[in-house]
Amino acid sequence: MSETILGKPLTDWVAEFPLIAPMRELQELTWFNPAVKATADALPEVGLTVADIDDAAARLKRFAPYLVDVFPETGRSAGILESPLVGVPAAQQRLAQHFGADLPGKLWAKLDSQLPISGSIKARGGIYEVLQHAESLALEAGLITLDDDYRKLNTDQAREFFGQYKVAVGSTGNLGLSIGIMSAQLGFQASVHMSSDARQWKKDRLRSHGVTVVEYESDYSVAVAQGREEAKRDPMAYFVDDENSKSLFVGYAVAGRRLAGQFQSLDVTVDERHPLFVYLPCGVGGGPGGVAFGLKSVFGDNVHCIFSEPTHSPCMMLGVYTGQHDAVSVQDFGIDNVTAADGLAVGRASGFVGTAMQHLLDGYLSVDDDELYRIIAILKQTEDLEIEPSAAAGFPGPWRVLADAEYRDRFGFDEATMARATHLAWATGGGMVPPAEMASYIAKGTELLG
Ligand SMILES: *Cc1c(COP(=O)(O)O)cnc(C)c1O
């Protein structure tokens, strides 16, 4: 930590932004942004439109037959990568005990932990971006046309073609898994630049798919920067830029319309009288930002998106709260960015997402690592769900809303409205965690619950 941050002494920062003091003490925080705007005013600030999401959804559909061919487990959904939406009433009850307050309304979970191919939310954006890149190369080379059956890409000829090209990414783990597995399957030379806190099993899994794993002692931002530099020097290389990618972002955004369909099929109403709160674990911001963009484009002012981060890595909260976005990192303020939630271990938020989405996101919360483990244990005990630490971060969300009268008053969430509300915690990952590691998460959480 330096004496000054952006040329300003720490004491001045704390005077101007009082939440920085408890943030530095790693306290759990909730901050509802007073500057949020109506969706109609804020959506145009994103710089992407519904047409971009349509385009992404259409591309995913073109690739669906190919995905069924190469990943047979996607056959059940005809090659569309989507996850279950489930009610979690037993967990709701148990969490109400844990947080000491009954939750009016209903709690749901979106099980991206069960997304095919890579078992996390990264199967949305990460796989999408690789497919987009592959499609553009294949179209340009005349290997396919837009109207073709994309199973043509599951041939030695296509794999040889893609084999001339490299795909690289910097990742804390799950993005690397998604990009690496998808790239290697298409035939690309894939390399994943990983920080030291990435789990060993993720590195092993990638290597078993023929992916080159480059490890860094330092954190995720350095891994990203190195990967980016290497790819820049090589005209045959393509770098998936987690901090700035619009392609990742629209891939994630497709989730919004699909979720609307799922709620409809379960006869859940979302309108002005029935608000939907969605709690999204946030790392660099692309995943939750893209999903939130998709949700706002479907549900407008009736959906309320709230990001959740570990107390050790509250980069998006810090960036939006101070208005400095990617000009500041949590480390600048003496916060260590060391957390069991490896998918969220990011010290500097995406400047693109922070700026584009700031007026569309109602708030930000932070969660202690021990709480993440307790939530993992509660979900296992009550609902037999298995998720990873990052994926647990959204679950305290509804109780933070309950605790903040200013926020509820500002939006007119009175008692009757809260009783009709739908709360959705996005359970972003866990499907690929080896059984022994999952068992140790659950054991740790059970022990912490006492
Ligand atoms: C990456 C990840 C997130 C957050 O996505 P970002 O794009 O980094 O904000 C959340 N949960 C899990 C399990 C992840 O792997």
Side-chain angles (χ1 to χ4, degrees):
M1 204 190 129
S2 50
E3 297 296 301
T4 65
I5 303 123
L6 301 180
K8 200 155 75 174
L10 179 63
T11 46
D12 289 8
W13 283 99
V14 174
E16 194 176 347
F17 304 104
L19 282 181
I20 287 177
M23 195 183 288
R24 295 181 68 242
E25 289 165 7
L26 306 176
Q27 288 182 31
E28 291 193 326
L29 296 175
T30 311
W31 177 62
F32 290 102
N33 188 353
V36 290
K37 296 183 185 169
T39 308
D41 298 328
L43 261 187
E45 294 174 10
V46 179
L48 293 159
T49 64
V50 171
D52 295 308
I53 310 178
D54 291 342
D55 179 56
R59 183 164 293 108
L60 288 169
K61 208 158 172 185
R62 288 196 289 278
F63 271 99
Y66 169 81
L67 291 177
V68 175
D69 244 24
V70 297
F71 298 113
E73 77 265 30
T74 66
R76 290 286 170 90
S77 54
I80 292 299
L81 311 181
E82 198 38 75
S83 74
L85 168 68
V86 297
V88 287
Q92 178 171 351
Q93 230 175 14
R94 186 73 176 73
L95 288 166
Q97 277 172 15
H98 180 64
F99 293 120
D102 265 343
L103 178 67
K106 284 202 181 66
L107 180 63
W108 296 75
K110 179 68 174 151
L111 301 182
D112 274 11
S113 49
Q114 295 180 19
L115 274 176
I117 303 178
S118 62
S120 83
I121 188 169
K122 302 300 192 311
R124 299 183 183 277
I127 288 175
Y128 173 73
E129 180 155 356
V130 174
L131 295 178
Q132 183 180 34
H133 178 57
E135 184 186 57
S136 96
L137 289 174
L139 286 171
E140 204 179 319
L143 217 58
I144 49 167
T145 68
L146 283 175
D147 300 319
D148 260 335
D149 183 335
Y150 279 23
R151 284 179 292 185
K152 265 189 175 172
L153 298 178
N154 184 23
T155 56
D156 288 339
Q157 185 208 358
R159 276 184 289 273
E160 234 164 79
F161 169 72
F162 291 127
Q164 314 165 75
Y165 297 93
K166 294 178 185 154
V167 172
V169 65
S171 171
T172 55
N174 286 334
L175 184 65
L177 275 179
S178 296
I179 304 274
I181 293 171
M182 192 67 246
S183 302
Q185 179 62 50
L186 281 156
F188 287 112
Q189 303 170 48
S191 56
V192 176
H193 299 256
M194 278 184 152
S195 48
S196 51
D197 50 3
R199 295 279 187 278
Q200 188 58 41
W201 66 264
K202 291 183 181 172
K203 298 172 190 168
D204 297 342
R205 185 76 62 98
L206 280 169
R207 289 187 173 120
S208 80
H209 282 268
V211 175
T212 305
V213 177
V214 190
E215 296 183 54
Y216 297 88
E217 275 316 310
S218 43
D219 81 354
Y220 158 87
S221 304
V222 178
V224 172
Q226 286 287 337
R228 189 187 284 134
E229 271 317 301
E230 260 186 56
K232 224 189 259 167
R233 289 195 296 268
D234 184 347
M236 299 299 273
Y238 179 83
F239 180 70
V240 176
D241 189 340
D242 199 13
E243 290 173 350
N244 299 294
S245 169
K246 307 247 153 68
S247 174
L248 280 176
F249 190 81
V250 293
Y252 290 120
V254 173
R257 61 190 56 201
R258 298 204 188 140
L259 182 74
Q262 287 180 310
F263 271 131
Q264 194 172 29
S265 76
L266 293 161
D267 212 8
V268 173
T269 304
V270 179
D271 61 19
E272 205 181 333
R273 295 182 70 244
H274 302 79
L276 168 63
F277 296 89
V278 182
Y279 308 95
L280 293 151
C282 176
V284 72
V291 169
F293 173 57
L295 290 168
K296 294 302 279 188
S297 74
V298 177
F299 294 112
D301 291 329
N302 301 322
V303 68
H304 300 272
C305 299
I306 294 162
F307 280 13
S308 179
E309 298 173 290
T311 51
H312 287 255
S313 312
C315 65
M316 189 62 80
M317 185 192 288
L318 176 71
V320 178
Y321 175 60
T322 59
Q324 292 298 336
H325 302 290
D326 58 345
V328 290
S329 71
V330 301
Q331 292 95 332
D332 290 343
F333 289 87
I335 300 168
D336 63 9
N337 189 33
V338 175
T339 168
D342 57 344
L344 314 181
V346 178
R348 188 185 301 275
S350 159
F352 154 57
V353 174
T355 313
M357 294 299 295
Q358 58 184 332
H359 299 122
L360 287 165
L361 305 171
D362 282 14
Y364 308 79
L365 60 96
S366 62
V367 188
D368 185 75
D369 272 25
D370 282 353
E371 279 292 273
L372 299 176
Y373 285 114
R374 291 188 191 98
I375 291 162
I376 288 173
I378 287 173
L379 285 166
K380 175 65 183 176
Q381 290 163 13
T382 56
E383 306 282 352
D384 197 25
L385 293 176
E386 296 189 347
I387 64 171
E388 64 184 87
S390 299
F395 286 88
W399 285 270
R400 304 294 181 89
V401 168
L402 281 183
D404 198 302
E406 181 281 325
Y407 170 59
R408 279 182 289 110
D409 289 348
R410 177 150 52 95
F411 280 87
F413 301 139
D414 56 16
E415 230 168 275
T417 308
M418 289 306 286
R420 292 186 294 260
T422 298
H423 298 272
L424 175 62
W426 212 282
T428 44
M432 297 271 279
V433 177
E437 186 132 344
M438 185 59 74
S440 79
Y441 293 156
I442 294 163
K444 176 152 187 185
T446 306
E447 194 186 313
L448 284 165
L449 285 167

